[in-house]
């Protein structure tokens, strides 16, 4: 074999080696990119799961505080129109204004919950928004009950209105006993949230099956 043929053979061999190296490098690059993507997805899921659980637990605490029957005198001083009311009406409306104020003081939190549920649904699936909807329903139930009680006249009661009053008060006030329906609803919502979001925090790289 002449020198030119050897040179061509060596050149061809070198090209093959370069091509193989390029394929190997590309494969490693793709594998690395896929690993990075999986890690990034897992990290985003973990962060969203942490934020979701944190907000849900905070909202549950706010709801418990809003329903606490004790109060401070200053909590009702901001209610509009109270200075023009008879003393008995003022005291009555102040009482049921307090849970509304306590919830309203954390309106940003509940607004964030309503917004976050869209990301949660997109990331974890439709059922993952159930805890958010449950706490929103409890929040709405308290607000409606307190507003209706404020509109009632405590001086003019009959058997029907007294029964209604008691039902509404059972919604507004709560001390955490096991017969309290709202306590049960909140507790169930948090338990469900744990089953949905806790796995993403414990194993951030794992993508649950759909």
């Amino acid at each position: 074999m002449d020198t030119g043929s050897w040179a061509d053979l060596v050149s061809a061999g070198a090209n093959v080696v370069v091509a193989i190296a390029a394929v190997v490098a590309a494969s490693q690059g793709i594998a690395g990119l896929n690993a990075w993507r999986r890690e990034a997805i897992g990290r985003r899921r973990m962060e969203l799961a942490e934020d979701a659980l944190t907000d849900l637990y905070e909202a549950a605490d706010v709801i418990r505080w809003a329903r606490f029957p004790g109060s401070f005198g200053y909590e009702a001083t901001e209610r509009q129109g109270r200075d023009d009311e008879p003393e008995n009406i003022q005291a009555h409306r102040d009482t049921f204004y307090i849970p509304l104020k306590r919830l309203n003081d954390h309106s940003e939190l509940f607004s964030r919950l309503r917004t976050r549920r869209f990301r949660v649904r997109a990331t974890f699936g439709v059922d993952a928004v159930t805890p958010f909807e449950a706490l929103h329903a409890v929040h709405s139930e308290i607000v409606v009950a307190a507003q209706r009680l404020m509109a009632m006249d405590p001086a003019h009661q009959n058997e029907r209105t007294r029964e209604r009053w008691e039902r509404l008060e059972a919604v507004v006030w709560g001390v955490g006993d096991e017969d309290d329906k709202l306590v049960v609803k909140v507790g169930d919502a948090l338990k469900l949230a744990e089953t949905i979001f806790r796995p993403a925090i414990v194993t951030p790289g794992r993508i649950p099956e759909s």
Side-chain angles (χ1 to χ4, degrees):
M1 185 178 295
D2 57 27
T3 303
S5 297
W6 276 109
D8 292 341
L9 185 59
V10 171
S11 177
N15 290 336
V16 171
V17 171
V18 171
I20 293 173
V23 170
V24 171
S27 299
Q28 291 177 339
I30 293 172
L33 179 60
N34 289 336
W36 176 84
R37 285 176 175 170
R38 287 194 298 271
E39 182 180 350
I41 292 171
R43 185 165 56 250
R44 288 196 298 270
R45 288 171 62 85
M46 180 181 69
E47 291 172 352
L48 179 56
E50 288 177 339
D51 290 341
L53 274 180
T54 299
D55 284 349
L56 288 168
Y57 274 108
E58 184 178 354
D61 278 346
V62 171
I63 289 172
R64 281 191 286 268
W65 166 238
R67 300 182 71 220
F68 180 67
S71 63
F72 302 96
Y74 65 83
E75 289 186 285
T77 56
E78 297 177 358
R79 185 172 65 82
Q80 294 183 355
R82 67 186 301 274
D83 293 336
D84 299 324
E85 297 168 348
E87 186 174 345
N88 64 321
I89 297 297
Q90 182 189 82
H92 164 72
R93 292 178 179 172
D94 283 353
T95 297
F96 297 107
Y97 170 79
I98 288 172
L100 296 177
K101 181 184 186 304
R102 290 172 178 174
L103 291 175
N104 189 62
D105 285 345
H106 295 85
S107 58
E108 183 179 343
L109 167 64
F110 290 101
S111 177
R112 189 166 66 245
L113 279 176
R114 288 191 292 272
T115 302
R116 195 183 301 283
R117 64 194 172 101
F118 296 110
R119 283 189 61 207
V120 166
R121 178 172 180 169
T123 303
F124 291 93
V126 177
D127 293 340
V129 302
T130 301
F132 293 82
E133 293 174 346
L135 290 191
H136 176 68
V138 170
H139 178 284
S140 298
E141 198 171 346
I142 296 168
V143 169
V144 170
Q147 290 174 339
R148 288 177 177 173
L149 282 164
M150 287 180 68
M152 295 177 73
D153 186 349
H156 297 84
Q157 297 288 321
N158 54 40
E159 183 177 353
R160 181 181 177 183
T161 57
R162 280 195 298 272
E163 290 177 353
R164 184 185 180 209
W165 183 299
E166 290 175 359
R167 288 196 303 270
L168 293 173
E169 274 203 313
V171 172
V172 173
W173 307 126
V175 292
D177 59 75
E178 59 184 14
D179 295 327
D180 191 321
K181 294 181 179 179
L182 265 61
V183 169
V184 173
K185 289 180 180 180
V186 171
D188 288 346
L190 295 181
K191 289 177 183 177
L192 179 58
E194 282 284 344
T195 65
I196 294 171
F197 301 116
R198 184 64 62 185
I201 298 174
V202 175
T203 55
R206 175 179 175 270
I207 300 178
E209 297 178 1
S210 59

